[in-house]
Each structure stands twice: as C-alpha cells, then as structure tokens.
Amino acid sequence: MADTSSGPVAVILTALRVEYEAVRARLADLTQHSESGTIFERGRLPGTPWTVVLAQTGPGNDNAAVVTKHAHDLYRPRVLFFVGVAGGLKGDVRIGDVVIGERIYDYREKQGPDGGHYRPREWEAPWWLLQHVQRMTFGPEVAGRVRVAPIASGNVVLDREHSELGDLLRGNYDDAVAIEMESAGVRRAAQIVGGLDTLTIRGISDKADGGKGRADAGGSQEIAAWCAAAAAVRILASLAPEEGTSTLPDAGDADGSSGVGSASQEVLGASAAGTDESGPPEKPPTTPRRPRTPLPRTRLGMRARPSRRTRTTFMACGAVAVVAVLVAVLLKVAGGADATDKDSALASCPVSQAHVKLHIAASIDVSTSLSEAAEQYAARQGEGGSCVKIEVSSVNSGTAMRALARGWGEGDGDEPDVWSPAGSEWLALARTKASGPAKQLLPETAEPIVTSPLTIAMPKPMAEALGWPESTIGWGKLAEWAADPAKFWESVGQKQWGAFKLGKTNPLYSTSGLNATVSAYYAKTHTSAELSQGDIDSPDNQAFVRDIEKSVVHYGDTTLTFLANLRAADDQGGADEALKYISAVTVEEDAVVAYNQGYPCGAYSKARNCEKRSRPHTPLVSFYPTDSDPVSDHPYVELGNMEKAKRPVARDFLNYLHRPDIYGKFFAPYGFRTYKGAAGAAPALSPDNGALRDADISQYSAPDGQVLDRLQTVWPTLRRRANVLVVIDTSKSMDDTVPGTGGTKMQLLRGAESALFGSGGFADTDRVGLWKFSNAASLGGKHHYVPLVDIGPMGEKLADRRGATRRAELADEVDNLVPNGATGLYGTVEAAVDSMRKDYDPAAINAIVLLTDGRNEGVPSRPTLKDVLARIGGPDKRVRVFTVAYGSKADQQDANGRTVLEEIAAATGAHAYNAKNPKILSEVLTSVISNF
C-alpha cells in the first residue's frame, strides 16, 4: 500500500490526456509510481494538506472500474473524483459549463435476457458531498455555470440529434444533463469495494447533436477539461480540514452535513468575479479561514493550457481565470476581515457559510433575471452578523396571490420573504382576499423592480396594414374590430387573412389578462381610474367587454403559449402560416422584444422547444393603447413574516437591483424599462424589436382590490364560452404505482379531478363532455374509445341521471374509471376531432383536453401519426387539442425534434403540457383549464 502519511489522500481519475493535464497542472511536488502496469502520479494540492493521486484510465466504463478498484486498494483514499469532459443533453447547457453528478445512470443496462425490458441501474452520489457542493461558491477560477444534476454513462458516444440512443435517453433518463463513458464503471467499483465516496465532475465540451467534431477541433475539450479540473480542485480545497477540525465525515458517519436541501438544483458560481469578467474580484469572508498558500505560478503556467487557436474563446476558464485566481488570492490577503463590497452597504460573506436563506417568489417574467442578479450579489451579512444568501423561485402571480391570501402552506413550496408578482394589482387582490394574520403580512404598497407597459402586439404585416408605427389604436378600437371578427380584415382589404383572432390570457392568473380586462372597462367608462364595483356590474360595460372576448382564440395562464405557437407557425410557413394563427395578442412590451430577438417563449423560458434561435421571419410589433395603458411594475413586496436577520439584506438587494449597471446587465437586454418607467440604457427597445422607446404611455391607475376582486368574480360570465371534450387514457399502465405516493396513476388522477370539473374551472354555461380510451379489444367494440358523458352545459340537470348536473356526472365517471388494455392514441385523437367538428360552436372555444400516460401501442398500424396530423390541423373549424403527458413513460417517441403530443398540440394551435411527475397533475390541469 502506498504511503499516505503526508496527509489525507484523494484520488482523481481522468479518461483522456487533455483531462489529465488539466488536473496535473494544479498539483505540486509530483512523483510517479507504476503499480501493476497502471501509472499513478502523487503530489500535493498547494495550500491544503491534501495528497492527490492522479491516474488516467482511458475511455470506457470497464477501464474506469478496474482503475478505481486498483486505486482504492493501493491508497485507501478519503474521496475519489472522476474529472473530465462530457456531452450536453439539455438545450441550456453551454460549452465550459460544469455538471456535478447527483446520480449516475448506467444506460447500458437497457434490456433483459429476453431483449424486451429496460432494466435501468443508477447510483446516487454521497449525500454529504452533495450537501457540501450545494453550499459552495466557485469563484473566479470556475466562471462557467456549475450545476448538480444526473449524468448518463455508457460505452457509446452520442453525437446525433436524432438516434435510437437519443430516444432511449429522452424516454428513460430525461433528467440527465450530460452523457459520458466512465462514471458508471467508477460507481460500480465503489459499490463493490464499499466505503469509497466518489464524485463525478464533468465539463461540457459538445452538445451531443452532431457537432462534436467541430467543437473538439475548435478546442472545446481543452476548455471543458480546464473548467472541470478547476471545479474539482475548488471542491477538494474546500474540503481541506481546518486546524483542529475536519470537514470530512468520520468513518461510518452517514451524513457529513448538517444542512438539508435539494441536491438537484443548479449551483451557479455566485461571486461577482465568477459571473462577470468585468466585475470586482471575490472579497474576503468576514471571519477568515486559515490562509492558504497561493498556487505556484510555475505550476499554473506549465501544462494543460489551451492551444493558441482557442485562447481567444477561453476567457471563462483559461488564462483569464488563472490571472483572476492570483488576483483574487492577493486581494484576499491584502484586504481586511471587515472589508465591504463597494456594490453594497453590507459586508460580504462566503456563500458556503450562508446558512440563512432569503426566499424571493417572483413571476416567470423576472425570476431568472433576479436569480442571476442574486448570484452576482452573492451573500451578505444581515442583522446580528448572520450570513444571508438569496434564493429565487418562479411562481405564477395569481397562484402566489391565492397562497398568500389564504396563508402559505407546505404544499405551496418555500414560504417567501419577498414576493414579486408581475403587477401591483396582485398585491391589492391579496390584501382584499386575506384576513387576520395573512393580511398582516402584506404591505399596502411596494416599490417596482423594473417596468413594462402592456401592448396590443400584432404580426408586422397586419400592423403595417393598419398604419404602424405612425398610427395608434386603443381598447375601444379593439372592441370594435372584435365585435364582428369574421369581416374585419375584409373591411380593410385583407380578406386573405380570414377572421380577426385575438390572443388574451386568463385574468384569474395572468397580469396581462387582468390588465387588459381592466383597460377594456376603462375604455368604456372613459376613465383611467376611479372604477367602481357598480361599473363592473353595469350591463352596458359588460357587453363591451364581451365584444372584445368574442374574437379570443383561447386563453391561458401565460402569454408565452401564444408566442410559442406563433413562432411554430412562422417556422412552418412564414407569414402565411403566422397570420392564420393570430391577429393580435395583449402582451407586455418586454415579451415582444424577447420574441423578436429569437426567444419564442420569452427571454428566459426553459420549456422544451423554447431555446433561443434565429429571429422570426414575421416579427411582432407593439401598439401602445391610447385610451389606457397599464404597466407591469414587478413590485418588490417585503412580507411581514421576514426574520429580522434578513431585513437589511432584502432592502439592500432592492437598492442593488435599482443600480443602472445591474439594470443594464440583467434586465435591459430583454426589453424591460427601469423602475421609474424610463427606457434607460435599453438598446433592445427599438423598432427592429417591435418596440418604440419614446412611445406615449397613456395614464393608468389600477383599481382598488375590491374592484379587482369583483372583476375576477364576474369575468367567467364575460369570457368566450368553452365547448370542450375531455379524453382520458384508461390503459392498463394507469394502474402503475407512483413511487413515493402509495397510490396508482389512476388514483392520483381521481384526486386531481376537481381541477378539471370543480367549480373553480369551467362555468355552468360551458359545454363539456367526457370520453375514455384504451383499445377496441379491451373495450368490447370496434373503437378504441367510449363516450361517457355527452357534451352539454356543465350546470344542466340530466334527466337520465336522476337530476344530477353534468358537472357532478363528469366527476362520478372519473371516480369509476378502471384501467385496462393498450393505448389507441392516434385513432382516438382523430375520432375526437371529427366528433368536435360535427358539434362545432362558432361562438365558443372548441377544444379537446387529452390526457395520456403512454404512447400509441397495441393497436393496428393505421392511422399513423402522419395521417392524424394531416387531418386534425387547418384553420377551418379549428379544434385545438391540449395534450397532457401524464407519468414518466408518457410521450417517449420523438418526431422531427418534438414529442408526439407536442406535434398533435402544435398542429391544432394548442399547447402540450407536461405532468410526467404525476404528483403535480392538479397544478398542470389548473393551467390547462385556464385556456377556457
């Protein structure tokens, strides 16, 4: 056994030479040993007591397993890291990002002896190591993003966007972020020897999409290897025992961390130097750790540097990072323990020591901007010297309002200290609906973070036909057009565009929908304030609002659905298809700017198929309503339940967000105006992006909370009627148990039924019906489906059901569903669309809600997906099919880069929803019903 008396031993393994050299360059006093044919180098990690043993395994899980066991037997290390490069499996990973393996999937174990069943194997990373990494900040030497996430490992390189292996990974390991070839072997060997804590640290060198050769030729492996090595060394150094202490768990200690948290969240480099090359270097902690010796310059300069041709693209993790490390270390030594950050009135502290979390619940519009700003802000000392870190979560404004009004519960997620809905109207509504202790938490007013005016956005050819950018329109004009949508475009000489079609969101959930509905009332009453409950109830005013709603194609809880569908139509057929989908959509200015910059679902959407791409063929442009133009002001609501330690940090962070440079970095590029409503330094606000920076924003004051509450109460009677068929999969797989719930998928569906048919969804005047489906043989007939409740008004009493209402009968039928048979998906979809076209209501939103936990199987080969897509699309008697993928095995097949359910939804101008985690089905169904 090798001598380990010089300090705790860590083993670092790599597969490739480029990975080996990136680690080797960070070690000192190296000596070489050959043990049974394997060459090991042993050295020390400067500034720490660690002895590091380094070896190269070569590619492949089998080699990695052999060397792992060999290294364990020889050196008995405290930890073993496998460090190297990997391919990225998600659209939002970038070359140079680092993925730390939360769990490792061995995707080789895909078939049993009969060749027919997947037998996946996985290994979790040690909990104490994950807990430690979550609390780290990676500083200037790891400037790329670092995330903790699953990694897929096998012996095959994935370098094609569409392949059998890609389908396997998406279908069975769809949370994996990276793919490589060694970690499964390492984890298997560690399991066999027992007691060996291992961690996989991978830099992303390609996107596993066919571009690996080009990326590697451009030096991406050097970049990724350097970043992974930097992260590994940073982690190992942070585990170095202090004098008289140890941050490593003792032998037999199951958990070396006192903290509890999710190990699957992203961990972004939180220091300013780690996220912004132009920002200040990392500052010293208030209570300094034992100083570490700076890394020797000769060691850093000798090996594993990027090639000359790639240095210009290696700013994040190459030579610049090396200089940044040295500068940061020198500044730490020179600075005092009480040094404060020039960007803040509060002293900084290490994020790894931030045991107090300031939770911000923000609307999707700004949640990612806030999160990235919080990462740069890092951690600050709060009241009493506590180290406070900011964590941001994305919560729909209407959903958060209801949770705060009733009293935030465990099922609502982390209770916020600060709430930022998209508009101050939600704060007024929350105060109106809340009572007792819940109301005491809500202040009367709050300061804005940024602002964005509501616009009536139109495809540019349509807007130019109406005189944009010189002309302006208002809500009154919109109501006039919507009153007779079938003839509007013909009246202006553009008959080829068909009927006038409006996209508008649901005011029960969406800020743009709420503001647009308020503005319609203002337009009718000729006021910009002073709206009363009597105005809301006025028959004339309600008729005016109904006229606007007549042309709505469907609603939704977010405008991003409309923008995504518009982009899909534009990609398919340019202006001809885009103009068939929608004529206008009420949406904030920032969303218009983001759409035209190539973000189809908003600048920060991480939904599937929403990745940034080229600019659209048919841009959107903004009309700023002349008779009332509400502004989404994104208030920063400091809640009354905030602990005293957090309050200075909460206030300081808002001041930080108001700084011109922070606004310019995190908000201006995506079309937001300043918190004062000015265009500021936002070059994105330009006609090229559909915005007019000097637009005259009409005066607007939001009604009080009681008026807004009354508007939400009566709105279901004003909106366009729904004509909807609900189609539920009852195949045998619905009897599968959902892990961690104690129930089957069908039982969870029954528990979520109220989200579909409860009083909070469809109105009594909406027409709704129900089918079930599996396959014809199991249903005892020639069809794969069985009608259970005919379409009709929800509030209608059914004579053949002993006077029960249709709403009650729908709920009873769901309670009595029994899983059986296969999944006749395609034939059912085609038949359902045909049925709805026969029962088409031109005055209603005609749609199907399709919920399935599988894919088309166990049925005849016809119709094919191609057959179905050809028959269900088209603008005439359009029936929109909103699909819900239910359960982890749902919707596994891909077609042209989209899943089958996405293809079906897109063909009909609807939206595909993901409930692959059955525990969130109620939440997903609530979003689905918001379309009606």
Side-chain angles (χ1 to χ4, degrees):
M1 180 181 293
D3 179 18
T4 60
S5 61
S6 59
V9 175
V11 169
I12 297 181
L13 302 181
T14 71
L16 306 178
R17 189 68 185 178
V18 66
E19 302 163 342
Y20 185 94
E21 293 294 343
V23 176
R24 191 173 188 270
R26 290 168 163 81
L27 305 178
D29 303 331
L30 287 161
T31 59
Q32 187 176 107
H33 308 270
S34 179
E35 302 284 355
S36 301
T38 301
I39 297 175
F40 293 94
E41 283 195 276
R42 192 176 75 178
R44 61 181 180 85
L45 182 61
T48 79
W50 282 108
T51 294
V52 178
V53 176
L54 179 63
Q56 182 180 344
T57 68
N61 279 298
D62 295 338
N63 290 343
V66 170
V67 177
T68 296
K69 187 176 185 306
H70 197 187
H72 170 266
D73 294 343
L74 288 170
Y75 297 100
R76 301 290 174 173
R78 301 294 297 273
V79 292
L80 183 148
F81 292 173
F82 204 100
V83 180
V85 303
L89 293 176
K90 300 295 184 183
D92 62 339
V93 294
R94 302 174 298 202
I95 290 176
D97 285 358
V98 176
V99 181
I100 297 172
E102 173 190 11
R103 69 178 63 89
I104 303 299
Y105 294 127
D106 186 351
Y107 65 78
R108 300 174 301 169
E109 303 293 330
K110 69 177 184 177
Q111 290 185 321
D114 61 356
H117 300 285
Y118 290 107
R119 301 181 186 273
R121 177 178 292 178
E122 64 181 71
W123 293 273
E124 300 282 345
W127 179 249
W128 72 270
L129 266 175
L130 290 177
Q131 287 281 290
H132 181 82
V133 169
Q134 278 185 270
R135 286 157 175 78
M136 285 185 60
T137 176
F138 284 84
E141 68 264 46
V142 188
R145 299 181 304 173
V146 181
R147 67 172 69 187
V148 178
I151 294 174
S153 181
N155 283 337
V156 179
V157 174
L158 176 63
D159 192 30
R160 290 176 58 192
E161 186 172 1
H162 306 296
S163 65
E164 181 180 356
L165 175 57
D167 292 343
L168 168 69
L169 294 173
R170 280 185 289 268
N172 296 276
Y173 313 103
D174 63 350
D175 57 345
V177 169
I179 180 172
E180 41 95 295
M181 299 174 60
E182 291 81 29
S183 292
V186 172
R187 298 311 303 275
R188 179 63 172 156
Q191 181 186 50
I192 292 172
V193 302
L196 176 57
D197 287 337
T198 70
L199 197 65
T200 294
I201 304 162
R202 294 287 187 171
I204 300 298
S205 62
D206 63 86
K207 301 299 287 293
D209 59 358
K212 177 175 171 56
R214 293 189 302 274
D216 290 353
S220 65
Q221 283 196 338
E222 294 174 277
I223 295 172
W226 189 268
C227 291
V233 168
R234 178 78 172 181
I235 295 169
L236 193 58
S238 72
L239 293 172
E242 300 293 330
E243 292 177 341
T245 66
S246 175
T247 60
L248 295 172
D250 294 332
D253 189 356
D255 186 359
S257 169
S258 61
V260 178
S262 169
S264 62
Q265 67 183 16
E266 280 197 1
V267 184
L268 306 179
S271 72
T275 55
D276 180 9
E277 292 171 8
S278 64
E282 189 176 18
K283 297 297 177 182
T286 304
T287 305
R289 297 165 64 93
R290 178 167 52 84
R292 295 185 179 131
T293 305
L295 300 180
R297 187 180 184 91
T298 54
R299 297 304 311 165
L300 288 171
M302 287 175 59
R303 296 181 176 89
R305 297 296 297 273
S307 63
R308 185 180 303 274
R309 68 185 174 190
T310 62
R311 287 176 186 171
T312 58
T313 63
F314 201 34
M315 300 297 286
C317 300
V320 170
V322 177
V323 174
V325 174
L326 296 175
V327 172
V329 171
L330 290 172
L331 286 174
K332 280 191 175 186
V333 173
D338 296 324
T340 58
D341 193 320
K342 68 181 181 63
D343 297 336
S344 168
L346 303 178
S348 62
C349 51
V351 175
S352 60
Q353 297 179 13
H355 301 303
V356 179
K357 303 295 191 297
L358 175 70
H359 293 285
I360 300 179
S363 69
I364 190 173
D365 312 63
V366 297
S367 60
T368 305
S369 285
L370 288 177
S371 182
E372 292 185 354
E375 289 293 340
Q376 180 166 305
Y377 180 79
R380 305 287 170 169
Q381 284 191 356
E383 189 80 12
S386 299
C387 187
V388 181
K389 177 186 177 182
I390 296 169
E391 292 186 346
V392 181
S393 58
S394 178
V395 185
N396 176 280
S397 297
T399 301
M401 179 272 291
R402 289 169 179 79
L404 287 166
R406 68 171 182 267
W408 199 276
E410 291 185 5
D412 297 316
D414 291 329
E415 185 171 5
D417 302 297
V418 175
W419 173 39
S420 181
S424 290
E425 293 87 344
W426 298 107
L427 174 57
L429 275 164
R431 286 182 52 82
T432 297
K433 293 177 181 292
S435 60
K439 190 167 185 175
Q440 297 303 313
L441 303 182
L442 299 161
E444 292 186 9
T445 60
E447 296 181 60
I449 298 173
V450 287
T451 60
S452 189
L454 186 67
T455 74
I456 301 173
M458 302 182 73
K460 191 174 183 180
M462 289 178 163
E464 288 178 335
L466 300 175
W468 187 88
E470 289 79 13
S471 66
T472 56
I473 61 174
W475 301 105
K477 185 64 69 175
L478 189 65
E480 179 184 320
W481 300 345
D484 192 2
K487 296 183 179 179
F488 170 71
W489 286 119
E490 182 180 0
S491 71
V492 296
Q494 302 292 344
K495 182 179 180 179
Q496 73 278 10
W497 292 339
F500 183 84
K501 297 175 284 290
L502 177 64
K504 180 176 177 289
T505 49
N506 189 320
L508 303 182
Y509 303 94
S510 166
T511 306
S512 64
L514 181 60
N515 283 338
T517 308
V518 170
S519 293
Y521 271 99
Y522 279 168
K524 176 62 176 174
T525 58
H526 303 290
T527 181
S528 59
E530 306 295 333
L531 203 64
S532 69
Q533 294 187 57
D535 292 326
I536 300 297
D537 293 332
S538 164
D540 286 347
N541 295 344
Q542 290 187 0
F544 180 85
V545 175
R546 284 195 191 94
D547 281 344
I548 292 181
E549 305 295 330
K550 285 180 181 179
S551 61
V552 171
V553 295
H554 65 85
Y555 297 98
D557 57 352
T558 170
T559 55
L560 303 186
T561 298
F562 296 106
L563 299 183
N565 285 346
L566 179 63
R567 181 57 196 255
D570 190 55
D571 288 343
Q572 180 181 356
D576 288 344
E577 290 298 320
L579 303 187
K580 290 178 184 177
Y581 173 62
I582 209 161
S583 304
V585 58
T586 56
V587 62
E588 282 80 8
E589 180 185 53
D590 66 275
V592 175
V593 170
Y595 179 84
N596 290 326
Q597 289 181 318
Y599 297 95
C601 314
Y604 278 119
S605 176
K606 296 180 180 179
R608 182 176 167 84
N609 298 314
C610 287
E611 300 85 2
K612 187 180 187 300
R613 60 197 70 174
S614 61
R615 296 174 67 89
H617 302 293
T618 312
L620 280 175
V621 299
S622 299
F623 285 104
Y624 300 82
T626 55
D627 38 12
S628 174
D629 197 351
V631 172
S632 293
D633 60 348
H634 299 281
Y636 189 86
V637 183
E638 298 176 50
L639 299 170
N641 61 339
M642 193 188 311
E643 297 173 14
K644 188 176 181 181
K646 303 177 184 180
R647 291 174 187 169
V649 178
R651 176 50 41 178
D652 187 64
F653 185 54
L654 178 60
N655 294 335
Y656 180 80
L657 295 173
H658 284 172
R659 282 176 34 188
D661 60 322
I662 299 304
Y663 158 77
K665 180 174 182 178
F666 295 108
F667 299 99
Y670 306 110
F672 288 100
R673 295 177 182 250
T674 70
Y675 73 100
K676 295 181 179 180
L685 292 173
S686 68
D688 285 344
N689 289 327
L692 304 177
R693 62 184 296 114
D694 297 324
D696 184 14
I697 309 299
S698 303
Q699 182 180 358
Y700 174 87
S701 296
D704 63 40
Q706 291 183 338
V707 173
L708 291 169
D709 186 44
R710 182 59 185 165
L711 185 149
Q712 288 192 330
T713 300
V714 304
W715 183 77
T717 69
L718 307 178
R719 62 169 173 78
R720 193 174 184 186
R721 187 171 64 250
N723 188 44
V724 175
L725 177 63
V726 178
V727 181
I728 297 178
D729 183 352
T730 59
S731 58
K732 185 61 178 177
S733 54
M734 290 288 284
D735 237 353
D736 292 348
T737 299
V738 177
T741 68
T744 66
K745 285 185 280 187
M746 183 59 76
Q747 289 170 333
L748 293 184
L749 171 60
R750 292 178 187 133
E753 171 275 321
S754 61
L756 267 178
F757 301 130
S759 58
F762 291 109
D764 283 349
T765 54
D766 289 326
R767 302 178 76 249
V768 182
L770 176 66
W771 286 10
K772 69 176 182 179
F773 78 99
S774 57
N775 67 321
S778 300
L779 296 176
K782 62 179 182 179
H783 300 303
H784 303 316
Y785 57 90
V786 172
L788 298 176
V789 180
D790 292 338
I791 291 180
M794 287 288 278
E796 180 184 7
K797 292 184 178 181
L798 306 178
D800 59 341
R801 307 284 182 170
R802 297 182 180 180
T805 63
R806 181 171 274 100
R807 188 187 303 276
E809 185 58 26
L810 289 164
D812 287 345
E813 288 290 353
V814 171
D815 284 342
N816 292 322
L817 292 175
V818 177
N820 189 32
T823 309
L825 176 62
Y826 297 162
T828 299
V829 170
E830 188 173 56
V833 171
D834 287 344
S835 176
M836 289 299 294
R837 283 177 174 158
K838 292 174 184 176
D839 197 27
Y840 191 84
D841 182 354
I845 299 170
N846 295 271
I848 293 167
V849 174
L850 173 72
L851 188 148
T852 178
D853 80 327
R855 50 184 172 180
N856 194 70
E857 58 187 0
V859 294
S861 59
R862 304 303 292 262
T864 65
L865 176 62
K866 184 177 181 180
D867 295 334
V868 173
L869 295 177
R871 295 167 189 166
I872 65 176
D876 295 332
K877 287 193 174 182
R878 182 184 288 273
V879 176
R880 302 178 190 276
V881 183
F882 294 89
T883 60
V884 181
Y886 180 48
S888 60
K889 297 180 181 179
D891 203 22
Q892 294 177 2
Q893 291 182 334
D894 276 13
N896 301 322
R898 291 187 176 187
T899 68
V900 167
L901 296 185
E902 287 171 340
E903 290 278 359
I904 290 170
T908 64
H911 186 65
Y913 290 86
N914 182 347
K916 291 191 175 183
N917 176 2
K919 299 176 185 178
I920 65 169
L921 181 59
S922 289
E923 178 184 337
V924 171
L925 291 177
T926 297
S927 294
V928 174
I929 299 304
S930 71
N931 289 282
F932 313 118

